[in-house]
Amino acid sequence: MIIEENEFDKQIEDLLNKEKTARLANNLVETLKVTKQIAKLCFDTKQYSKFNELIVQLSKKRGQPKKAQIELVQMAMVELKTLPINQKLEMIDAIMKVCEKKIYLEVEYARCVLMLTQYKEDDNQIADAAKILQEVQVETYGSMDKREKLEFILYQMKIMIKKLDYVRLYIISKKIEPKNIEDDNIADLKIIYYSFLVIYYRHENNYKETAHAYSKILESLHKNKQLEATKVDFNFRIDYNTILENYAMYTILSQYTEEKEKQLQSIVSTYKYGLEALPNLQQLIQAFLGTELISTSPQSHNIQAAEIFDENIENNKQRYVDFRRQLIHHNLRIFQIYYDSVYLNRITELIGISTQELEEEICLMMDQKLLKCKIDRILGIVDYQLKKNENDVLQEWGDNVNKVLNLIDLTSNLIKREEELFL
């Protein structure tokens, strides 16, 4: 439809007069009808600049019904899809002015912010994109669909990773409650969420939490292998074997606790068939669960090809150092099982490290309360039989007395029961 400019201006003026009359008369039906006509006329004549001006103007009119504003914004959102980038950005700006600080238009405002941010991202303006996104608190939007809300928060996390703002990334991640994504209908979003957490915890060298995030991804893949098709940015591989390998390796890298041992046992029992495709990893896990000395040379375990040592992933050298440290710590715990005391040079001979490194690792384990011993440097001995203080001796004596009394009580009850049966 082609209309002369003067004719267009006249029609718009007539429609604005009708809109004013209907609005002041509180005639909702007529107001909606006229505002739609205004929008349609602008769209049909490609007068988008005029529409941007009018939509802001109409939203500020006294007594303008909410329904009329919602209809105008929704019509604009549909028209946006057909516009070239420059006109689209101008209309997005106008819509955001209308929607700002209005609860009944919060979803449309968030969608406009998302479109604007995506343009900024494509244009490599990451800092500007992050600034725009961080002002939107979609977690408080009650009218937004759960999936759309999660996608928006995940996009916020993605932009923070691109910006390398790991502090804000962690803050945004807390907007999502883990229990809220334990739903099979949004399993793909769960995988993306925990993938971003892996990137954060990997940056922080927090091996325990990294392993936990991988376990959640693996849990979803174990239920449905089709989820391997989920696309995650930052070259993050969603592959069953790779995720299983990373889960196991980060568990091994974490500091020794009883929980770590239970996790390794759980991996062996739950993912037994998956480990068959990773024989080197399977042998390594069994070695850590065993009570025998193992080689402290990482190369001997044929695990160098694991993704955690990939040069393209940050802190890969530190993980290599920490892997070797866990091998050493495992061996030192084994010595504690079999020896009351042992010569330092004997330990160094058996596990293949220097005396200085051995002393440093023993001190580190003692500081972390992973080992109870003392080093006699004069004699060159590690003594695992520490002298107990008075409180420990008294506590042990009390425990032993309680055990004896319990046995006497049990025996007495058994004798009494026998007497009642046969006498």
Side-chain angles (χ1 to χ4, degrees):
M1 182 187 292
I2 300 174
I3 301 178
E4 294 293 334
E5 189 173 340
N6 291 337
E7 182 67 20
F8 170 78
D9 290 340
K10 185 181 177 184
Q11 289 189 32
I12 286 293
E13 188 177 346
D14 289 343
L15 288 171
L16 286 173
N17 288 331
K18 288 182 181 179
E19 182 274 333
K20 181 179 180 180
T21 303
R23 173 166 47 82
L24 295 178
N26 290 324
N27 188 338
L28 178 60
V29 175
E30 185 63 22
T31 304
L32 290 174
K33 179 182 175 182
V34 175
T35 51
K36 285 181 180 179
Q37 287 176 346
I38 292 171
K40 189 173 186 305
L41 179 62
C42 291
F43 294 155
D44 289 344
T45 57
K46 310 294 183 186
Q47 296 286 346
Y48 296 116
S49 297
K50 186 65 176 176
F51 172 77
N52 295 340
E53 179 187 326
L54 288 172
I55 190 174
V56 175
Q57 183 182 326
L58 287 169
S59 69
K60 292 180 179 179
K61 296 288 186 180
R62 180 170 61 88
Q64 187 67 265
K66 292 178 182 178
K67 184 69 175 173
Q69 296 179 55
I70 292 170
E71 290 287 349
L72 275 173
V73 168
Q74 288 178 346
M75 288 180 72
M77 294 294 288
V78 173
E79 191 69 20
L80 269 177
K81 299 173 184 177
T82 65
L83 299 181
I85 189 64
N86 290 334
Q87 289 180 328
K88 181 182 282 190
L89 289 174
E90 289 174 4
M91 190 174 288
I92 285 173
D93 184 57
I95 295 171
M96 287 175 66
K97 286 178 182 176
V98 175
C99 298
E100 194 171 13
K101 296 180 181 178
K102 293 176 182 174
I103 294 175
Y104 52 91
L105 288 170
E106 61 188 6
V107 175
E108 286 77 9
Y109 180 78
R111 287 171 183 165
C112 285
V113 167
L114 191 61
M115 285 189 279
L116 182 59
T117 307
Q118 286 170 342
Y119 167 74
K120 296 284 186 184
E121 182 192 0
D122 293 340
D123 201 34
N124 205 30
Q125 300 178 38
I126 303 301
D128 292 341
K131 187 176 180 181
I132 295 167
L133 266 183
Q134 68 191 33
E135 295 173 359
V136 183
Q137 310 296 328
V138 292
E139 65 275 12
T140 63
Y141 291 5
S143 55
M144 184 177 274
D145 175 71
K146 179 181 179 180
R147 184 179 184 88
E148 188 177 6
K149 192 183 294 187
L150 285 171
E151 286 174 343
F152 192 97
I153 295 173
L154 290 173
Y155 189 74
Q156 287 180 316
M157 292 176 70
K158 172 187 168 183
I159 292 296
M160 292 308 155
I161 294 172
K162 285 196 169 187
K163 191 187 174 188
L164 303 179
D165 188 346
Y166 291 100
V167 173
R168 200 172 292 278
L169 167 63
Y170 180 71
I171 293 169
I172 292 172
S173 73
K174 291 300 177 185
K175 293 180 180 181
I176 298 177
E177 284 286 337
K179 64 181 180 182
N180 291 337
I181 53 175
E182 295 297 331
D183 183 347
D184 291 341
N185 295 324
I186 52 171
D188 56 327
L189 299 185
K190 174 184 174 181
I191 286 175
I192 295 171
Y193 172 68
Y194 282 109
S195 299
F196 289 164
L197 283 185
V198 164
I199 293 171
Y200 169 74
Y201 287 121
R202 199 165 57 190
H203 171 77
E204 297 293 320
N205 285 330
N206 188 333
Y207 301 136
K208 182 180 177 181
E209 292 299 333
T210 305
H212 175 71
Y214 270 120
S215 74
K216 289 294 185 179
I217 298 172
L218 188 62
E219 186 180 284
S220 296
L221 294 179
H222 196 62
K223 289 180 183 176
N224 183 3
K225 281 206 171 185
Q226 291 181 352
L227 290 169
E228 287 185 339
T230 305
K231 292 183 179 180
V232 182
D233 293 277
F234 313 107
N235 297 319
F236 196 98
R237 291 176 61 193
I238 303 299
D239 172 74
Y240 186 87
N241 287 343
T242 303
I243 298 298
L244 173 56
E245 181 183 65
N246 287 336
Y247 172 33
M249 287 303 298
Y250 277 106
T251 303
I252 288 170
L253 286 176
S254 62
Q255 183 177 299
Y256 177 80
T257 58
E258 289 184 8
E259 183 186 353
K260 172 183 174 177
E261 193 163 334
K262 288 178 182 177
Q263 273 187 309
L264 290 175
Q265 290 170 347
S266 174
I267 291 171
V268 171
S269 59
T270 308
Y271 306 108
K272 179 172 66 174
Y273 297 110
L275 286 173
E276 288 177 359
L278 302 164
N280 293 331
L281 178 63
Q282 189 175 31
Q283 290 174 11
L284 182 62
I285 295 172
Q286 293 294 355
F288 270 93
L289 289 173
T291 55
E292 296 180 4
L293 296 178
I294 58 178
S295 172
T296 56
S297 171
Q299 292 90 338
S300 64
H301 298 284
N302 300 315
I303 206 76
Q304 300 93 315
E307 190 181 65
I308 67 166
F309 302 129
D310 190 333
E311 292 181 356
N312 296 319
I313 300 175
E314 65 173 336
N315 299 329
N316 63 304
K317 292 181 179 177
Q318 182 60 46
R319 284 191 288 275
Y320 190 85
V321 171
D322 290 335
F323 175 53
R324 183 171 179 273
R325 174 166 285 153
Q326 288 304 316
L327 295 172
I328 294 170
H329 286 192
H330 169 81
N331 288 332
L332 293 177
R333 288 195 303 273
I334 299 304
F335 277 108
Q336 189 176 28
I337 296 172
Y338 295 108
Y339 291 94
D340 291 337
S341 62
V342 60
Y343 285 101
L344 286 169
N345 58 6
R346 180 59 177 158
I347 298 177
T348 58
E349 180 186 336
L350 287 171
I351 66 176
I353 63 173
S354 67
T355 304
Q356 181 180 349
E357 185 179 12
L358 174 60
E359 290 184 4
E360 288 174 357
E361 294 303 329
I362 288 175
C363 290
L364 178 63
M365 291 185 73
M366 289 171 65
D367 184 53
Q368 295 173 345
K369 302 189 185 306
L370 300 176
L371 205 61
K372 291 183 178 180
C373 64
K374 66 179 180 180
I375 300 173
D376 188 334
R377 283 185 171 172
I378 297 174
L379 297 176
I381 291 176
V382 179
D383 188 1
Y384 291 108
Q385 292 294 311
L386 298 180
K387 185 178 179 181
K388 297 175 183 177
N389 60 36
E390 294 83 354
N391 291 332
D392 290 336
V393 172
L394 185 61
Q395 182 65 43
E396 186 178 352
W397 178 82
D399 291 341
N400 290 336
V401 168
N402 285 332
K403 287 178 183 177
V404 171
L405 291 174
N406 287 335
L407 285 171
I408 292 171
D409 189 42
L410 178 62
T411 306
S412 176
N413 289 335
L414 290 172
I415 292 171
K416 188 174 180 180
R417 189 171 68 179
E418 291 292 322
E419 288 175 346
E420 289 175 353
L421 288 172
F422 298 105
L423 292 179

